[in-house]
Amino acid sequence: MKKSTLYFLGLILALSIPLVLVGFNHLLRTIITPNNLFFELQIGNVPNIEKENWSLAITGAIENELVFDYENLTQMDSVTEIATLECVDGPFGTARWEGVPLFRILELAGVLTSAKDLIFYAADNYSDSLNLKEAYATNILLAFKMNGVDLPLAQGFPLRLVCPDHYGYKWVKWIVSIEVVDYDYIGFWESRGWSDNAMRTNFTSWITHAYLFSIAFIFGGLAFISGNKSIPNTKRYPKLPTFMKKRFHLVSSLFFIISAFASFIYWSYLTILTRGALFYSIHGILGLITIILLITAASLGFLKKTKAKEWHQKVSKVACYLFAISILIGFVISFIGTFRVNQIFMSI
Ligand SMILES: Nc1nc2c(c(=O)[nH]1)N[C@H]1C(S)=C(S)[C@@H](COP(=O)(O)O)O[C@H]1N2
Ligand SMILES: [Mo]
């Protein structure tokens, strides 16, 4: 094989690092996260609840008001399931959860036909609701065990909601009471713009956005280097093949812009779907600026004037650096955020 071909393959390999990392991140979802590494997120402090003093009251639009203490509840028939908890912000963890299926409790309570929502109140003043129709899904648990041991305090001891088809903010921790109501309740994050539906499917997953982003990274790298290589009289990148010139630059730039744009559109779609609004993160804002700069740079590239060519290079360069930083922040969110970290990371 020619030496320049080897260098070219090496370059492609290096540019594929984000893609490989996203693949690895994707794979992590299928692996059980140990309790001591499981990410932790809450609005305030972790409440300290003692088994002995805790009870769960079920009230509202039901026939039989119920109160469970820890013993009563954990002695009911329980089921075990493996499910992934995914925060809308990206962090996720998979565990083996054990608990009482919620629908069993609803059957015991005898929900009235007028009922609409189930509200879960937590010891830290957090609350959220499930639509009653969805609440009967057999995979929703009131969980008291995680990976074979009592739920860790940080993960909601003594009782948390496990609802695999919903985003993390529906997985209420430290539940102290459940109320059945005949109206549409708006929970903590929902009242701050997040979707009350919060359904999570494989399609509505940030990982798709990350794949598109890392494919754009490969084309972006190729466009950047071939652009530099095709500057007249330049001696840049002598070891790379000579075909990485103008036409190559044009094609790779085109693919770069298309994949970066697709990734951005997908991110916008997810953001509007889950948050009801667009701009909330540095990662996203950088992404938007990058897209605007890229389109500007591309347009300048088609102009014949020397000044325009200079600006084409300058703007492209800034766009590429911003793009790389935006990717880096995305990684911080999804990788570091996936494991037990300080909440500060979550606000990026
Ligand atoms: N009581 C309570 N439950 C809560 C929250 C909270 O702040 N308080 N945060 C929710 C959010 S936004 C997420 S992503 C998950 C995080 O669960 P974990 O800390 O077990 O990873 O808990 C959910 N349940
Ligand atoms: Mo979350």
Side-chain angles (χ1 to χ4, degrees):
M1 208 188 296
K2 275 212 300 211
K3 232 182 176 152
S4 61
T5 316
L6 269 180
Y7 276 107
F8 182 69
L9 289 179
L11 174 68
I12 299 272
L13 222 63
L15 291 174
S16 302
I17 290 173
L19 190 63
V20 172
L21 289 178
V22 170
F24 179 64
N25 192 283
H26 198 171
L27 205 72
L28 271 181
R29 283 165 193 250
T30 59
I31 297 168
I32 294 203
T33 316
N35 289 0
N36 61 344
L37 290 180
F38 207 91
F39 82 99
E40 180 191 328
L41 239 172
Q42 55 271 329
I43 52 166
N45 295 325
V46 173
N48 198 351
I49 302 177
E50 310 255 333
K51 255 184 210 182
E52 297 74 33
N53 305 331
W54 178 84
S55 67
L56 174 73
I58 295 128
T59 60
I62 51 176
E63 280 161 16
N64 322 303
E65 301 233 323
L66 302 170
V67 180
F68 293 92
D69 63 17
Y70 190 78
E71 290 278 302
N72 301 152
L73 192 83
T74 53
Q75 275 166 11
M76 285 183 67
D77 285 343
S78 65
V79 298
T80 300
E81 68 189 28
I82 292 173
T84 301
L85 158 56
E86 181 181 10
C87 177
V88 282
D89 279 338
F92 61 84
T94 301
R96 183 179 284 110
W97 310 93
E98 184 182 337
V100 180
L102 179 64
F103 78 89
R104 293 250 180 265
I105 306 281
L106 296 180
E107 281 172 357
L108 285 179
V111 176
L112 301 181
T113 48
S114 60
K116 260 207 166 130
D117 260 19
L118 267 184
I119 312 175
F120 300 84
Y121 293 101
D124 62 341
N125 285 328
Y126 185 84
S127 64
D128 212 320
S129 63
L130 280 182
N131 175 318
L132 253 181
K133 274 197 211 109
E134 293 162 14
Y136 281 101
T138 50
N139 62 354
I140 301 181
L141 304 182
L142 289 170
F144 46 81
K145 282 196 169 193
M146 179 183 183
N147 294 330
V149 298
D150 283 354
L151 208 57
L153 194 58
Q155 259 65 50
F157 180 85
L159 194 70
R160 89 171 303 163
L161 197 62
V162 164
C163 36
D165 300 328
H166 292 84
Y167 276 116
Y169 56 94
K170 293 280 184 189
W171 295 45
V172 181
K173 306 193 273 187
W174 311 295
I175 300 175
V176 289
S177 64
I178 301 176
E179 192 188 357
V180 184
V181 295
D182 58 6
Y183 58 88
D184 183 11
Y185 182 77
I186 301 299
F188 183 89
W189 286 116
E190 287 83 343
S191 68
R192 288 158 179 81
W194 274 259
S195 147
D196 191 19
N197 162 292
M199 290 305 263
R200 168 190 164 268
T201 67
N202 282 335
F203 182 63
T204 55
S205 166
W206 299 103
I207 206 92
T208 308
H209 160 74
Y211 275 123
L212 286 171
F213 224 134
S214 34
I215 288 168
F217 186 83
I218 299 176
F219 288 119
L222 292 176
F224 188 85
I225 288 173
S226 57
N228 273 315
K229 210 171 156 56
S230 50
I231 296 170
N233 305 322
T234 185
K235 298 227 163 39
R236 287 185 201 185
Y237 308 110
K239 287 179 174 151
L240 286 170
T242 42
F243 67 73
M244 289 183 75
K245 281 275 168 75
K246 229 181 181 139
R247 185 182 302 233
F248 187 93
H249 175 64
L250 211 70
V251 175
S252 50
S253 300
L254 188 74
F255 279 112
F256 176 35
I257 292 179
I258 291 173
S259 43
F261 198 65
S263 177
F264 178 73
I265 293 292
Y266 187 74
W267 173 84
S268 311
Y269 158 77
L270 269 191
T271 309
I272 291 171
L273 202 76
T274 58
R275 307 240 185 176
L278 258 187
F279 304 106
Y280 66 91
S281 72
I282 298 176
H283 172 66
I285 291 167
L286 279 184
L288 177 68
I289 299 174
T290 306
I291 290 292
I292 294 170
L293 289 181
L294 275 179
I295 292 170
T296 314
S299 319
L300 285 166
F302 287 106
L303 299 178
K304 289 275 172 290
K305 291 229 171 65
T306 355
K307 260 262 156 334
K309 294 263 179 267
E310 269 170 34
W311 277 103
H312 169 69
Q313 286 166 31
K314 277 184 195 154
V315 178
S316 305
K317 204 167 170 177
V318 176
C320 284
Y321 289 147
L322 285 186
F323 182 70
I325 297 171
S326 178
I327 285 201
L328 209 71
I329 295 176
F331 273 116
V332 170
I333 296 169
S334 62
F335 264 105
I336 303 182
T338 292
F339 299 104
R340 213 175 257 293
V341 279
N342 195 298
Q343 272 169 286
I344 294 168
F345 279 117
M346 302 303 168
S347 58
I348 296 178

